[in-house]
Amino acid sequence: MRVYDFNEMDSICFEINNGKVAVVETDTVMGIISKDSQLIYNIKKRSSRKKLIILVASIRDVPNLTDKQTQVIEKYWPGPLTVIKNNVGYRMPNHEELLELIGKTGPVFSSSANISGKTPIYNHREAEVIFNKWSNKMVLVEGKQLGGTASTVINIDRKKILREGPLNAKAILEQLGK
């Protein structure tokens, strides 16, 4: 399994744009990203009923936001907030190199880097062990868990908290209004 660091941005982009999965650090837990959602489901042994999120480099990558939704999201992005809009989850991580990578590849599917139901991995070395049977479909980017808590998740259409994380979800809902 090839290990890169973020200084090899063009090579990482090439791998992702050519169908591979990358395990990367984010501002929360270690993540697994790809253009191929099915590959993430297979690697994680994740039920297709559990949706993946899309990591974006710009709020413009989230379609059909109201002015109020845009205003509120801009207060928390980049950061540990996942918003559900039209049944799709979006997040802009507060991680400079990862944002640069997503800016070059375009939005990518993402989930925590782990086998579904298990604890997220702590660093790229653990990923090498846990995901070694996928070595021909995966690359690793040197890194470690920076946060420790998965993002706060809010459905901004229904104004509903789906997961409390590092941000105060109730305060965000209040800002969205009725």
Side-chain angles (χ1 to χ4, degrees):
M1 194 173 314
R2 179 71 201 268
V3 180
Y4 294 98
D5 66 41
F6 277 115
N7 292 323
E8 299 170 282
M9 190 71 67
D10 290 341
S11 297
I12 301 166
C13 289
F14 176 83
E15 299 279 18
I16 290 170
N17 286 330
N18 283 282
K20 290 204 177 170
V21 163
V23 172
V24 297
E25 68 179 25
T26 74
D27 55 333
T28 56
V29 297
M30 291 292 288
I32 185 169
I33 64 172
S34 182
K35 294 285 196 174
D36 182 346
S37 62
Q38 192 57 52
L39 188 53
I40 294 176
Y41 281 111
N42 293 343
I43 289 171
K44 287 181 53 92
K45 301 177 185 170
R46 183 179 175 106
S47 165
S48 60
R49 289 187 299 266
K50 293 179 81 178
K51 293 187 177 191
L52 301 175
I53 65 167
I54 298 174
L55 292 184
V56 297
S58 168
I59 197 167
R60 291 183 302 276
D61 293 325
V62 182
N64 306 314
L65 290 173
T66 67
D67 289 342
K68 185 64 164 178
Q69 289 169 341
T70 299
Q71 179 184 15
V72 172
I73 293 168
E74 283 178 336
K75 288 182 183 180
Y76 298 96
W77 275 8
L81 174 64
T82 299
V83 295
I84 309 299
K85 177 70 183 173
N86 298 328
N87 259 350
V88 178
Y90 298 92
R91 187 164 102 76
M92 184 192 305
N94 188 12
H95 190 287
E96 189 176 323
E97 292 92 351
L98 183 53
L99 285 176
E100 181 182 343
L101 178 67
I102 299 164
K104 291 181 177 201
T105 62
V108 291
F109 293 103
S110 180
S111 184
S112 56
N114 61 317
I115 301 299
S116 196
K118 304 284 185 189
T119 305
I121 61 165
Y122 182 73
N123 60 36
H124 70 279
R125 288 182 197 88
E126 283 185 30
E128 205 163 14
V129 173
I130 290 170
F131 300 123
N132 75 348
K133 82 175 211 173
W134 294 96
S135 61
N136 63 331
K137 296 282 188 187
M138 178 180 287
V139 297
L140 306 176
V141 180
E142 285 183 12
K144 64 181 194 297
Q145 181 173 304
L146 298 176
T149 306
S151 65
T152 299
V153 182
I154 296 176
N155 183 316
I156 60 174
D157 293 324
R158 289 197 228 130
K159 297 189 174 101
K160 183 176 179 184
I161 300 167
L162 301 179
R163 179 175 67 206
E164 189 71 48
L167 299 175
N168 182 331
K170 279 187 177 176
I172 297 168
L173 286 182
E174 286 172 13
Q175 292 169 43
L176 285 168
K178 301 214 178 208

